[in-house]
Amino acid sequence: MAGIADQTPATGDDSYRRIVAPLLLPTWAVIGIFLVLPVGLMAVYSFLTKEFRGGVDWQFSLAAYDQFFLNRGLFGDEPPVLEWTYITIFWRSIWQAVVATLLCLAIGFPTAWFIATRPAHSRGVWLFLITIPYWVNLLIRTVSLKFLIRDNGPLNEALLGIGLIDGPLPLVNTNLAVQLGLFYSYLPFMVLPIYAAVERYNFALSEAAADLYASRWVTLREIVLPIVKPGIVAGCLLVFIPSLGAFLAPDLLGGAKNFMIGSLIDEQFKGSLGNWPFGAAVSMILMTLVMIALLLYARSAAKGGAA
């Protein structure tokens, strides 16, 4: 009887798999066609040769990666030195993404806390207001922001009108403009995961901490933050990763002096002068760095959970 009992779950599992497997086929098909196939195609392109009129020549080459990391002079006949141009663009992109993430966290956490502590019947209204900007295309929102902060835009006109400034603030084509664009684009991605975590928080824990004479700062640091940490981490990832590869905000608000990775990749696939293998190589380097960062975080989180 024991042997039969041991086999029963396995039989049930096999039957479950036979039923569920066909239902998962559409999902696997979508993942394969719209995720695995494009990424695989980019990986292949990164090892091909640039075609003179754009596109690729199907000959294996490491020239794209060589171009990213090494500078061999205009005609390629000089001793190779480290190519700092693209490394600088990567560093600028990482710095911009980190600042945008911290700014979204600084505004998003209090916002999420405020919404989660409202009466249940009004939370839907606040969440609705948070998501309203996503009813409009990102390109239109970015162009609208550029209109607001330009030299003769409403922001400068208002500041001049009340006498706070003597001349228009040069906001467009600056790092600040890029930061505003990233913050405006991805703030809801920070608010919503944190709200979901705070909504499940047991506020009786804060009351218990207050009864034990814990200050608000101690309660926040020792009780609240550890409990809502999954929502904070999810929000940071949802903001940092798209900010790292953004190209609309840098192109429209930052100008040529604030080039970011997304802009660099975008330029390689424009017209007949683009370099598809190089653009694919930059994409693969970016994706590899992001995957390494995510794996390191997952590993550290697993170790922390085991401890």
Side-chain angles (χ1 to χ4, degrees):
M1 294 295 292
I4 296 175
D6 292 340
Q7 293 176 5
T8 302
T11 303
D13 290 344
D14 292 340
S15 176
Y16 177 77
R17 293 191 187 97
R18 285 196 298 270
I19 295 174
V20 173
L23 300 178
L24 293 177
L25 287 177
T27 302
W28 286 113
V30 170
I31 294 175
I33 295 173
F34 296 106
L35 178 62
V36 177
L37 182 61
V39 172
L41 189 61
M42 293 293 284
V44 172
Y45 276 14
S46 69
F47 291 103
L48 298 180
T49 303
K50 174 188 175 183
E51 214 279 332
F52 180 72
R53 293 178 299 275
V56 295
D57 186 358
W58 291 83
Q59 296 183 7
F60 177 81
S61 173
L62 294 175
Y65 292 95
D66 183 87
Q67 177 182 346
F68 182 88
F69 290 106
L70 298 176
N71 184 353
R72 300 179 183 273
L74 181 61
F75 300 101
D77 55 354
E78 299 179 10
V81 296
L82 191 62
E83 177 58 85
W84 286 103
T85 302
Y86 304 122
I87 296 176
T88 301
I89 292 175
F90 259 68
W91 168 246
R92 182 187 301 123
S93 301
I94 294 172
W95 175 78
Q96 291 275 30
V98 169
V99 174
T101 302
L102 294 177
L103 184 59
C104 286
L105 178 59
I107 304 299
F109 185 86
T111 303
W113 185 274
F114 172 81
I115 296 175
T117 54
R118 297 306 93 194
H121 67 273
S122 64
R123 292 175 193 170
V125 176
W126 290 106
L127 292 175
F128 171 76
L129 295 175
I130 289 292
T131 58
I132 277 181
Y134 282 84
W135 292 21
V136 182
N137 184 271
L138 178 59
L139 175 61
I140 298 176
R141 286 186 279 131
T142 306
V143 172
S144 300
L145 180 61
K146 184 175 183 178
F147 170 79
L148 288 174
I149 65 175
R150 64 181 181 175
D151 290 353
N152 58 344
L155 177 62
N156 273 309
E157 292 292 340
L159 294 176
L160 287 170
I162 60 179
L164 288 180
I165 56 176
D166 297 326
L169 297 175
L171 297 176
V172 180
N173 296 334
T174 63
N175 282 325
L176 178 60
V178 176
Q179 284 300 322
L180 289 175
L182 295 176
F183 168 77
Y184 175 59
S185 299
Y186 302 118
L187 177 61
F189 289 178
M190 182 69 73
V191 173
L192 296 178
I194 297 179
Y195 164 78
V198 175
E199 188 183 32
R200 295 191 298 267
Y201 174 70
N202 185 359
F203 287 91
L205 297 175
S206 297
E207 297 174 1
D211 291 340
L212 296 173
Y213 302 102
S215 65
R216 291 186 177 181
W217 168 246
V218 171
T219 303
L220 175 65
R221 186 186 64 210
E222 300 295 337
I223 299 177
V224 176
L225 291 181
I227 294 177
V228 302
K229 180 181 176 181
I232 295 175
V233 171
C236 289
L237 292 176
L238 289 174
V239 173
F240 177 79
I241 293 176
S243 295
L244 189 61
F247 70 93
L248 275 180
D251 278 1
L252 297 177
L253 301 174
K257 294 183 179 180
N258 298 280
F259 222 54
M260 290 177 61
I261 301 173
S263 306
L264 177 63
I265 296 173
D266 178 57
E267 286 293 324
Q268 307 310 312
F269 293 94
K270 285 183 176 179
S272 60
L273 299 179
N275 187 339
W276 287 20
F278 181 67
V282 176
S283 301
M284 297 309 299
I285 293 171
L286 173 62
M287 189 178 69
T288 300
L289 291 177
V290 172
M291 290 300 296
I292 291 174
L294 291 177
L295 289 174
L296 290 175
Y297 168 75
R299 185 176 180 181
S300 64
K303 288 183 177 179

